[in-house]
Amino acid sequence: MSEFKKLVFSGVQPTGNLHLGNYLGAIRRFVALQEGNDCIYCVVDMHALTAQLVHEDMPSQTRSIAAAFIAAGIDPEKHIVFNQSAVPQHAELAWIFNCVARIGWMNRMTQFKDKAGKDREQASLGLYAYPSLMAADILVYRATHVPVGEDQKQHLELARDIAMKFNLDYAEHISRTGYGVDITVGNEPVHAYFPMVEPLIGGPAPRVMSLRDGTKKMSKSDPSDLSRINLMDDEDAISKKIRKAKTDPDGLPSEIDGLQGRPEADNLVAIYAALADKSKADVLAEFGGQQFSVFKPALVDLAINVLAPITGEMRRLMDDTSHIDAILRKGGERARARAEVTMQQVRDVIGFLY
């Protein structure tokens, strides 16, 4: 192989209800990336154990994520949709990466500090090693690009560090086995087995905030259901949540600078822009000077128009899960075949007998 073939990989955890932030920040981008790219999309059910060990509804939540993928427009025939636990090579490579990664690297991961809170001694080892498994998720397919939000950039940088250390530590083995690819990192030539994965960050609303607090990210775990629009919400629920969304007494500005210091207004404008495939400047050009009593009903209509078809298809798929199960089963078989090629070569590079 003379170069790494472009491959997009990403995954979504099956924890809680999918919401508008998941759709705008991830799933809709997954759909767009299908055009012109080889894509692998995963329901990362193994990662879900780091948030909560025992899940009574793991099968349902896993199917719900897959249903959202399909309902939003991901083509499971042209690309691969599967659940992570169906491909044991993820865990096998994660253990190798646990041995490659350094404790100091892991200690710098801010998301662990945020999620573990003050009582870090009671956090699971899985939560601490989460970024190592994420690196394995990506690199077991030698993926080159990952659509991520800002909160995952640090984990992706760690994946690059792990890949580079593996490449350098096993440089002679990689050359001897003939599996490497000549790349340049900075100005240095490297005969690499794993690529230096690149983040794909973009879109008008890559970080959708809470409808109740514009300084906090929209979250499945927020105790208030009014803080988020769930993908399975009906039209009445969507309308109620947007109309009750926190705002301020001022009208919408005509320029983007006028949104500074107004997180709730900025969030609603960003959501409208993302749903309409417009810039925030375009939205303000249309609604600048208007009160939220005018803007919110327009946002309600737009959100329902975009989300209702997805919600309807998700409900149809979840009413009879045999189709979703078949997609996940076939996707798992295809993913395992790809992942096993990588693992056979990694075993050769390391020197494992198998």
Side-chain angles (χ1 to χ4, degrees), residues 253-262 266 284:
S254 298
E255 304 291 336
I256 291 179
D257 289 347
L259 293 173
Q260 290 184 4
R262 302 177 63 189
D266 184 53
L284 294 178

Side-chain angles (χ1 to χ4, degrees), residues 206-226:
R207 188 175 174 86
V208 179
M209 312 306 282
S210 165
L211 297 179
R212 308 302 292 165
D213 183 349
T215 65
K216 296 180 179 179
K217 188 176 178 182
M218 187 175 286
S219 170
K220 305 171 188 174
S221 59
D222 192 306
S224 173
D225 193 53
L226 290 174

Side-chain angles (χ1 to χ4, degrees), residues 181-199:
V181 175
D182 290 322
I183 64 173
T184 302
V185 180
N187 294 320
E188 296 296 320
V190 177
H191 192 63
Y193 181 76
F194 289 117
M196 296 292 99
V197 61
E198 297 287 344

Side-chain angles (χ1 to χ4, degrees), residues 14 16 52 55-62:
Q52 176 184 335
H55 293 259
E56 299 301 332
D57 58 347
M58 180 73 87
S60 177
Q61 291 193 5
T62 300

Side-chain angles (χ1 to χ4, degrees), residues 55-270:
H55 293 259
E56 299 301 332
D57 58 347
M58 180 73 87
S60 177
Q61 291 193 5
T62 300
R63 290 174 177 131
S64 179
I65 302 295
F69 287 170
I70 307 309
I74 291 173
D75 187 338
E77 294 297 323
K78 292 182 179 179
H79 305 280
I80 296 177
V81 174
F82 73 106
N83 56 301
Q84 181 187 26
S85 61
V87 183
Q89 290 85 351
H90 285 243
E92 182 181 1
L93 186 59
W95 173 252
I96 294 168
F97 284 173
N98 282 344
C99 298
V100 173
R102 306 291 92 178
I103 291 291
W105 300 356
M106 307 303 281
N107 285 339
R108 290 195 292 271
M109 297 296 105
T110 57
Q111 200 169 102
F112 171 76
K113 298 172 186 176
D114 292 342
K115 290 187 175 181
K118 296 179 180 179
D119 196 6
R120 293 178 194 165
E121 295 299 314
Q122 293 301 313
S124 75
L125 181 59
L127 181 63
Y128 186 72
Y130 177 111
S132 183
L133 177 57
M134 177 176 163
D137 296 336
I138 300 162
L139 293 172
V140 78
Y141 304 103
R142 298 169 89 181
T144 58
H145 293 79
V146 177
V148 294
E150 288 289 341
D151 57 341
Q152 290 290 341
K153 276 188 69 177
Q154 190 183 38
H155 288 172
L156 204 61
E157 290 164 2
L158 179 69
R160 289 168 59 91
D161 290 340
I162 290 172
M164 180 56 76
K165 182 166 174 55
F166 183 95
N167 291 336
L168 295 178
D169 287 353
Y170 283 103
E172 292 184 9
H173 296 217
I174 294 168
S175 294
R176 188 165 63 244
T177 56
Y179 297 137
V181 175
D182 290 322
I183 64 173
T184 302
V185 180
N187 294 320
E188 296 296 320
V190 177
H191 192 63
Y193 181 76
F194 289 117
M196 296 292 99
V197 61
E198 297 287 344
L200 296 172
I201 299 174
R207 188 175 174 86
V208 179
M209 312 306 282
S210 165
L211 297 179
R212 308 302 292 165
D213 183 349
T215 65
K216 296 180 179 179
K217 188 176 178 182
M218 187 175 286
S219 170
K220 305 171 188 174
S221 59
D222 192 306
S224 173
D225 193 53
L226 290 174
S227 70
R228 59 187 169 268
I229 295 174
N230 302 305
L231 290 190
M232 294 290 272
D233 281 344
D234 59 26
E235 295 182 8
D236 287 342
I238 292 173
S239 177
K240 175 184 176 182
K241 290 177 179 182
I242 291 177
R243 292 177 188 278
K244 286 182 172 291
K246 183 181 177 182
T247 54
D248 52 49
D250 297 328
L252 286 170
S254 298
E255 304 291 336
I256 291 179
D257 289 347
L259 293 173
Q260 290 184 4
R262 302 177 63 189
E264 285 79 22
D266 184 53
N267 185 41
L268 293 183
V269 170

